[in-house]
Short mmCIF file of all heavy atoms in Angstrom, two decimals:
data_model
loop_
_atom_site.label_atom_id
_atom_site.label_comp_id
_atom_site.label_asym_id
_atom_site.label_seq_id
_atom_site.Cartn_x
_atom_site.Cartn_y
_atom_site.Cartn_z
N HIS A 1 0.87 -1.18 0.00
CA HIS A 1 0.00 0.00 0.00
C HIS A 1 0.91 1.23 0.00
O HIS A 1 1.50 1.56 1.03
CB HIS A 1 -0.89 -0.03 1.25
CG HIS A 1 -1.89 1.08 1.31
ND1 HIS A 1 -3.09 1.05 0.65
CD2 HIS A 1 -1.86 2.28 1.97
CE1 HIS A 1 -3.76 2.15 0.90
NE2 HIS A 1 -3.04 2.92 1.69
N ASP A 2 1.03 1.90 -1.14
CA ASP A 2 2.07 2.93 -1.30
C ASP A 2 1.67 4.32 -0.82
O ASP A 2 2.39 5.29 -1.03
CB ASP A 2 2.55 2.99 -2.75
CG ASP A 2 1.47 3.46 -3.72
OD1 ASP A 2 0.33 3.71 -3.30
OD2 ASP A 2 1.78 3.57 -4.93
N GLN A 3 0.54 4.42 -0.11
CA GLN A 3 0.13 5.70 0.46
C GLN A 3 0.49 5.72 1.94
O GLN A 3 0.25 4.76 2.66
CB GLN A 3 -1.38 5.92 0.27
CG GLN A 3 -1.87 7.31 0.65
CD GLN A 3 -2.20 7.45 2.12
OE1 GLN A 3 -2.60 6.49 2.78
NE2 GLN A 3 -2.03 8.65 2.66
N ILE A 4 1.10 6.81 2.39
CA ILE A 4 1.49 6.96 3.79
C ILE A 4 1.01 8.29 4.33
O ILE A 4 0.63 9.19 3.58
CB ILE A 4 3.03 6.87 3.97
CG1 ILE A 4 3.72 8.03 3.22
CG2 ILE A 4 3.57 5.52 3.54
CD1 ILE A 4 5.13 8.31 3.68
N THR A 5 1.07 8.41 5.66
CA THR A 5 0.93 9.70 6.32
C THR A 5 2.21 9.94 7.13
O THR A 5 2.73 9.02 7.76
CB THR A 5 -0.29 9.74 7.25
OG1 THR A 5 -1.46 9.60 6.45
CG2 THR A 5 -0.36 11.06 8.00
N ALA A 6 2.72 11.16 7.06
CA ALA A 6 3.95 11.53 7.77
C ALA A 6 3.64 12.71 8.69
O ALA A 6 2.81 13.56 8.36
CB ALA A 6 5.04 11.90 6.78
N LEU A 7 4.30 12.74 9.85
CA LEU A 7 3.96 13.75 10.85
C LEU A 7 5.21 14.28 11.54
O LEU A 7 6.01 13.52 12.08
CB LEU A 7 3.03 13.13 11.89
CG LEU A 7 2.47 14.05 12.96
CD1 LEU A 7 1.45 15.01 12.37
CD2 LEU A 7 1.81 13.23 14.08
N PHE A 8 5.36 15.60 11.52
CA PHE A 8 6.36 16.29 12.33
C PHE A 8 5.64 16.94 13.51
O PHE A 8 4.53 17.47 13.34
CB PHE A 8 7.02 17.44 11.56
CG PHE A 8 7.96 17.05 10.46
CD1 PHE A 8 7.51 16.96 9.15
CD2 PHE A 8 9.30 16.80 10.73
CE1 PHE A 8 8.39 16.63 8.13
CE2 PHE A 8 10.18 16.47 9.71
CZ PHE A 8 9.72 16.38 8.41
N PHE A 9 6.29 16.96 14.67
CA PHE A 9 5.84 17.83 15.76
C PHE A 9 7.06 18.49 16.36
O PHE A 9 7.97 17.82 16.84
CB PHE A 9 5.06 17.09 16.84
CG PHE A 9 4.67 18.00 17.98
CD1 PHE A 9 3.82 19.08 17.75
CD2 PHE A 9 5.19 17.83 19.25
CE1 PHE A 9 3.48 19.95 18.77
CE2 PHE A 9 4.85 18.70 20.29
CZ PHE A 9 3.99 19.76 20.04
N TRP A 10 7.10 19.82 16.28
CA TRP A 10 8.20 20.60 16.83
C TRP A 10 7.69 21.36 18.04
O TRP A 10 7.06 22.42 17.91
CB TRP A 10 8.77 21.53 15.76
CG TRP A 10 9.44 20.79 14.63
CD1 TRP A 10 10.18 19.64 14.74
CD2 TRP A 10 9.44 21.13 13.24
NE1 TRP A 10 10.64 19.25 13.50
CE2 TRP A 10 10.22 20.16 12.56
CE3 TRP A 10 8.89 22.17 12.50
CZ2 TRP A 10 10.42 20.20 11.19
CZ3 TRP A 10 9.10 22.22 11.14
CH2 TRP A 10 9.86 21.23 10.49
N ASN A 11 7.96 20.81 19.22
CA ASN A 11 7.43 21.41 20.44
C ASN A 11 8.04 22.77 20.75
O ASN A 11 7.43 23.60 21.43
CB ASN A 11 7.65 20.47 21.63
CG ASN A 11 9.11 20.26 21.95
OD1 ASN A 11 9.90 19.88 21.09
ND2 ASN A 11 9.51 20.53 23.19
N SER A 12 9.24 23.04 20.20
CA SER A 12 9.89 24.32 20.47
C SER A 12 9.10 25.50 19.92
O SER A 12 9.20 26.62 20.43
CB SER A 12 11.30 24.33 19.87
OG SER A 12 11.24 24.16 18.46
N ILE A 13 8.30 25.25 18.89
CA ILE A 13 7.47 26.32 18.31
C ILE A 13 5.98 25.93 18.30
O ILE A 13 5.15 26.65 17.77
CB ILE A 13 7.93 26.71 16.88
CG1 ILE A 13 7.91 25.50 15.94
CG2 ILE A 13 9.32 27.35 16.93
CD1 ILE A 13 8.15 25.87 14.48
N ASN A 14 5.66 24.77 18.89
CA ASN A 14 4.28 24.27 19.00
C ASN A 14 3.60 24.19 17.63
O ASN A 14 2.49 24.70 17.42
CB ASN A 14 3.46 25.15 19.95
CG ASN A 14 2.22 24.41 20.47
OD1 ASN A 14 2.15 23.17 20.42
ND2 ASN A 14 1.25 25.15 20.97
N VAL A 15 4.29 23.52 16.71
CA VAL A 15 3.79 23.35 15.35
C VAL A 15 3.80 21.86 14.98
O VAL A 15 4.77 21.16 15.24
CB VAL A 15 4.63 24.15 14.33
CG1 VAL A 15 4.36 23.69 12.89
CG2 VAL A 15 4.33 25.63 14.45
N GLN A 16 2.69 21.42 14.41
CA GLN A 16 2.57 20.06 13.88
C GLN A 16 2.33 20.15 12.37
O GLN A 16 1.50 20.96 11.93
CB GLN A 16 1.40 19.35 14.56
CG GLN A 16 1.07 17.99 14.01
CD GLN A 16 -0.10 17.36 14.75
OE1 GLN A 16 0.10 16.60 15.68
NE2 GLN A 16 -1.33 17.70 14.36
N ILE A 17 3.04 19.34 11.61
CA ILE A 17 2.87 19.33 10.16
C ILE A 17 2.52 17.91 9.74
O ILE A 17 3.29 16.97 9.95
CB ILE A 17 4.15 19.80 9.44
CG1 ILE A 17 4.53 21.22 9.90
CG2 ILE A 17 3.95 19.77 7.91
CD1 ILE A 17 5.89 21.69 9.44
N ARG A 18 1.34 17.77 9.16
CA ARG A 18 0.87 16.46 8.72
C ARG A 18 0.90 16.41 7.20
O ARG A 18 0.46 17.35 6.53
CB ARG A 18 -0.56 16.23 9.23
CG ARG A 18 -1.05 14.80 9.03
CD ARG A 18 -2.20 14.49 9.99
NE ARG A 18 -3.35 15.32 9.75
CZ ARG A 18 -4.45 14.91 9.10
NH1 ARG A 18 -4.52 13.68 8.61
NH2 ARG A 18 -5.47 15.72 8.93
N ILE A 19 1.43 15.31 6.68
CA ILE A 19 1.63 15.15 5.24
C ILE A 19 1.05 13.82 4.78
O ILE A 19 1.26 12.80 5.44
CB ILE A 19 3.14 15.19 4.90
CG1 ILE A 19 3.75 16.56 5.26
CG2 ILE A 19 3.39 14.88 3.43
CD1 ILE A 19 5.27 16.57 5.23
N LYS A 20 0.33 13.83 3.67
CA LYS A 20 -0.07 12.58 3.01
C LYS A 20 0.71 12.49 1.70
O LYS A 20 0.91 13.49 1.02
CB LYS A 20 -1.58 12.57 2.72
CG LYS A 20 -2.44 12.60 3.97
CD LYS A 20 -3.92 12.62 3.60
CE LYS A 20 -4.79 12.83 4.82
NZ LYS A 20 -6.24 12.87 4.47
N ALA A 21 1.14 11.27 1.37
CA ALA A 21 2.07 11.14 0.24
C ALA A 21 2.04 9.74 -0.35
O ALA A 21 1.52 8.80 0.26
CB ALA A 21 3.48 11.47 0.70
N ILE A 22 2.64 9.62 -1.52
CA ILE A 22 2.88 8.33 -2.17
C ILE A 22 4.37 8.02 -2.03
O ILE A 22 5.22 8.89 -2.27
CB ILE A 22 2.48 8.37 -3.66
CG1 ILE A 22 1.00 8.74 -3.80
CG2 ILE A 22 2.77 7.04 -4.34
CD1 ILE A 22 0.03 7.78 -3.13
N ILE A 23 4.69 6.77 -1.67
CA ILE A 23 6.07 6.41 -1.37
C ILE A 23 6.60 5.34 -2.31
O ILE A 23 5.87 4.45 -2.74
CB ILE A 23 6.19 5.94 0.11
CG1 ILE A 23 7.65 5.85 0.53
CG2 ILE A 23 5.45 4.62 0.35
CD1 ILE A 23 7.85 5.78 2.04
N ASN A 24 7.89 5.47 -2.65
CA ASN A 24 8.60 4.51 -3.51
C ASN A 24 10.04 4.42 -3.06
O ASN A 24 10.54 5.28 -2.32
CB ASN A 24 8.58 4.96 -4.98
CG ASN A 24 7.19 4.92 -5.58
OD1 ASN A 24 6.67 3.87 -5.88
ND2 ASN A 24 6.58 6.09 -5.74
N LYS A 25 10.76 3.40 -3.54
CA LYS A 25 12.20 3.32 -3.29
C LYS A 25 12.91 4.40 -4.11
O LYS A 25 12.48 4.74 -5.21
CB LYS A 25 12.75 1.95 -3.71
CG LYS A 25 12.36 0.81 -2.81
CD LYS A 25 13.01 -0.47 -3.34
CE LYS A 25 12.63 -1.68 -2.51
NZ LYS A 25 13.26 -2.92 -3.04
N THR A 26 14.04 4.89 -3.58
CA THR A 26 14.91 5.75 -4.38
C THR A 26 15.71 4.87 -5.34
O THR A 26 15.75 3.64 -5.19
CB THR A 26 15.91 6.52 -3.49
OG1 THR A 26 16.73 5.58 -2.79
CG2 THR A 26 15.20 7.41 -2.49
N ASP A 27 16.36 5.49 -6.32
CA ASP A 27 17.18 4.67 -7.21
C ASP A 27 18.46 4.24 -6.49
O ASP A 27 18.88 4.82 -5.49
CB ASP A 27 17.48 5.38 -8.53
CG ASP A 27 18.33 6.62 -8.38
OD1 ASP A 27 19.41 6.53 -7.78
OD2 ASP A 27 17.91 7.69 -8.86
N GLU A 28 19.08 3.17 -6.99
CA GLU A 28 20.23 2.56 -6.33
C GLU A 28 21.42 3.52 -6.24
O GLU A 28 22.14 3.52 -5.23
CB GLU A 28 20.65 1.29 -7.07
CG GLU A 28 19.65 0.16 -6.91
CD GLU A 28 20.17 -1.15 -7.49
OE1 GLU A 28 21.33 -1.20 -7.93
OE2 GLU A 28 19.39 -2.13 -7.50
N ASP A 29 21.63 4.33 -7.27
CA ASP A 29 22.76 5.26 -7.26
C ASP A 29 22.66 6.24 -6.10
O ASP A 29 23.66 6.56 -5.44
CB ASP A 29 22.85 6.03 -8.58
CG ASP A 29 23.30 5.15 -9.74
OD1 ASP A 29 23.86 4.07 -9.47
OD2 ASP A 29 23.10 5.54 -10.90
N PHE A 30 21.44 6.74 -5.84
CA PHE A 30 21.25 7.68 -4.74
C PHE A 30 21.52 7.00 -3.40
O PHE A 30 22.20 7.56 -2.53
CB PHE A 30 19.83 8.26 -4.76
CG PHE A 30 19.66 9.41 -3.81
CD1 PHE A 30 19.92 10.71 -4.21
CD2 PHE A 30 19.25 9.19 -2.51
CE1 PHE A 30 19.79 11.78 -3.32
CE2 PHE A 30 19.11 10.25 -1.61
CZ PHE A 30 19.38 11.54 -2.03
N SER A 31 21.03 5.77 -3.25
CA SER A 31 21.27 5.02 -2.02
C SER A 31 22.76 4.76 -1.82
O SER A 31 23.27 4.85 -0.70
CB SER A 31 20.49 3.70 -2.04
OG SER A 31 19.10 3.93 -1.97
N ASN A 32 23.46 4.44 -2.90
CA ASN A 32 24.90 4.19 -2.82
C ASN A 32 25.66 5.44 -2.36
O ASN A 32 26.55 5.37 -1.52
CB ASN A 32 25.46 3.74 -4.17
CG ASN A 32 25.01 2.33 -4.54
OD1 ASN A 32 24.64 1.54 -3.67
ND2 ASN A 32 25.02 2.03 -5.83
N LEU A 33 25.29 6.59 -2.92
CA LEU A 33 25.96 7.85 -2.56
C LEU A 33 25.73 8.18 -1.08
O LEU A 33 26.66 8.62 -0.39
CB LEU A 33 25.45 9.00 -3.44
CG LEU A 33 25.98 9.04 -4.87
CD1 LEU A 33 25.24 10.10 -5.68
CD2 LEU A 33 27.48 9.33 -4.87
N HIS A 34 24.52 7.98 -0.63
CA HIS A 34 24.25 8.26 0.78
C HIS A 34 25.01 7.29 1.68
O HIS A 34 25.58 7.69 2.70
CB HIS A 34 22.75 8.18 1.07
CG HIS A 34 22.43 8.48 2.50
ND1 HIS A 34 22.53 9.74 3.04
CD2 HIS A 34 22.05 7.66 3.52
CE1 HIS A 34 22.21 9.71 4.33
NE2 HIS A 34 21.92 8.45 4.64
N TYR A 35 25.04 6.02 1.29
CA TYR A 35 25.73 4.99 2.09
C TYR A 35 27.20 5.36 2.31
O TYR A 35 27.69 5.30 3.43
CB TYR A 35 25.61 3.64 1.40
CG TYR A 35 26.36 2.53 2.10
CD1 TYR A 35 25.79 1.85 3.17
CD2 TYR A 35 27.64 2.17 1.69
CE1 TYR A 35 26.48 0.84 3.82
CE2 TYR A 35 28.35 1.16 2.34
CZ TYR A 35 27.76 0.51 3.41
OH TYR A 35 28.46 -0.49 4.06
N ILE A 36 27.89 5.75 1.26
CA ILE A 36 29.33 6.03 1.39
C ILE A 36 29.60 7.33 2.17
O ILE A 36 30.72 7.56 2.61
CB ILE A 36 30.06 6.06 0.03
CG1 ILE A 36 29.53 7.18 -0.87
CG2 ILE A 36 29.97 4.71 -0.67
CD1 ILE A 36 30.31 7.34 -2.17
N SER A 37 28.56 8.15 2.34
CA SER A 37 28.74 9.40 3.10
C SER A 37 28.60 9.17 4.61
O SER A 37 28.90 10.05 5.41
CB SER A 37 27.71 10.44 2.66
OG SER A 37 26.42 10.13 3.17
N ARG A 38 28.15 7.98 5.00
CA ARG A 38 27.85 7.71 6.41
C ARG A 38 29.06 7.17 7.18
O ARG A 38 29.98 6.62 6.59
CB ARG A 38 26.71 6.68 6.51
CG ARG A 38 25.42 7.19 5.99
CD ARG A 38 24.30 6.18 5.90
NE ARG A 38 24.43 4.93 6.57
CZ ARG A 38 23.55 4.43 7.45
NH1 ARG A 38 22.48 5.15 7.75
NH2 ARG A 38 23.71 3.24 7.98
N ALA A 39 28.99 7.31 8.48
CA ALA A 39 30.03 6.74 9.35
C ALA A 39 29.98 5.22 9.27
O ALA A 39 28.91 4.62 9.10
CB ALA A 39 29.81 7.19 10.79
N LYS A 40 31.15 4.58 9.40
CA LYS A 40 31.21 3.11 9.30
C LYS A 40 30.36 2.44 10.38
O LYS A 40 29.82 1.34 10.17
CB LYS A 40 32.65 2.63 9.39
CG LYS A 40 33.31 2.84 10.74
CD LYS A 40 34.73 2.27 10.77
CE LYS A 40 35.35 2.44 12.16
NZ LYS A 40 36.72 1.88 12.22
N GLU A 41 30.21 3.10 11.53
CA GLU A 41 29.41 2.52 12.62
C GLU A 41 27.94 2.38 12.21
O GLU A 41 27.28 1.39 12.52
CB GLU A 41 29.52 3.38 13.88
CG GLU A 41 30.87 3.34 14.55
CD GLU A 41 31.91 4.26 13.91
OE1 GLU A 41 31.56 5.02 12.97
OE2 GLU A 41 33.07 4.21 14.34
N LYS A 42 27.43 3.38 11.49
CA LYS A 42 26.04 3.30 11.01
C LYS A 42 25.91 2.23 9.94
O LYS A 42 24.92 1.48 9.90
CB LYS A 42 25.59 4.66 10.48
CG LYS A 42 25.39 5.70 11.56
CD LYS A 42 24.86 7.00 10.97
CE LYS A 42 24.61 8.02 12.05
NZ LYS A 42 24.08 9.29 11.50
N ASN A 43 26.90 2.17 9.06
CA ASN A 43 26.83 1.17 7.99
C ASN A 43 26.98 -0.25 8.52
O ASN A 43 26.40 -1.19 7.97
CB ASN A 43 27.89 1.46 6.93
CG ASN A 43 27.53 2.68 6.11
OD1 ASN A 43 26.37 3.09 6.06
ND2 ASN A 43 28.51 3.29 5.46
N ALA A 44 27.73 -0.41 9.61
CA ALA A 44 27.84 -1.74 10.23
C ALA A 44 26.47 -2.20 10.71
O ALA A 44 26.12 -3.39 10.59
CB ALA A 44 28.83 -1.70 11.39
N LEU A 45 25.67 -1.29 11.23
CA LEU A 45 24.33 -1.67 11.68
C LEU A 45 23.44 -2.02 10.50
O LEU A 45 22.64 -2.96 10.57
CB LEU A 45 23.70 -0.54 12.50
CG LEU A 45 22.36 -0.90 13.16
CD1 LEU A 45 22.52 -2.06 14.13
CD2 LEU A 45 21.78 0.31 13.86
N ALA A 46 23.57 -1.27 9.39
CA ALA A 46 22.78 -1.59 8.19
C ALA A 46 23.07 -3.01 7.72
O ALA A 46 22.16 -3.73 7.28
CB ALA A 46 23.10 -0.59 7.08
N HIS A 47 24.32 -3.44 7.82
CA HIS A 47 24.70 -4.80 7.43
C HIS A 47 24.27 -5.85 8.45
O HIS A 47 23.81 -6.93 8.08
CB HIS A 47 26.22 -4.90 7.25
CG HIS A 47 26.72 -4.46 5.92
ND1 HIS A 47 26.67 -5.28 4.80
CD2 HIS A 47 27.27 -3.29 5.51
CE1 HIS A 47 27.18 -4.62 3.77
NE2 HIS A 47 27.55 -3.42 4.16
#
C-alpha cells in the first residue's frame, strides 16, 4: 500500500505538520551515494 501519512511535531514552536504522500524506493545510485557518506558505525548496523 504505497500511500502513507507523515507527521512532524516541533514542540519548540508548537507546530505540527501532517503530510499525506505516495512512497517509492529511491534509485540505487542515490542510495549508494548516501551509504558512502555515512560513518562506518552506522553502515555496520545496516549490514
